Amino acid sequence: VARPDAKPVWHEGEARLFHCKPLKKTGAPVFLIPSMINRSYIMDLMPGRSFMQWLADRGHDVFLLDWGVPAGDPEMRDMDGVIVNRLG
């Protein structure tokens, strides 16, 4: 797994939000939300093949939600909790 230069900027329960800053901001911000059955590193599986970094290299502020282990987070026990308590 090749995590780009992404810094955690928020966390609550199991969920974390990473931010990858562009060198020069020229595009709109991008918010990536992987499916809950995949870990966030699905966006960055190999060194030099990071989707987050690719977007940042093209001028986008990139944010990536990492669900963590939803089963370990009582606030994400159902979809209402996921939407209200984490995505909200």
Side-chain angles (χ1 to χ4, degrees):
V1 176
R3 174 76 61 194
D5 187 21
K7 308 277 188 268
V9 294
W10 172 87
H11 76 280
E12 191 167 328
E14 287 284 318
R16 297 178 295 165
L17 185 67
F18 290 95
H19 179 225
C20 191
K21 279 177 91 167
L23 291 177
K24 181 180 178 189
K25 191 185 298 189
T26 58
V30 176
F31 193 79
L32 301 172
I33 306 174
S35 67
M36 292 182 76
I37 62 169
N38 289 313
R39 299 300 305 256
S40 65
Y41 57 73
I42 194 73
M43 303 290 178
D44 303 303
L45 288 177
M46 296 173 15
R49 306 284 286 181
S50 166
F51 185 52
M52 285 184 73
Q53 193 63 57
W54 184 84
L55 288 167
D57 290 346
R58 280 145 185 81
H60 298 278
D61 257 325
V62 185
F63 297 88
L64 171 67
L65 180 65
D66 180 355
W67 295 107
V69 181
D73 189 339
E75 295 293 322
M76 289 198 285
R77 66 182 166 266
D78 56 28
M79 287 309 293
D80 287 338
V82 170
I83 293 166
V84 171
N85 299 319
R86 296 300 176 254
L87 288 178

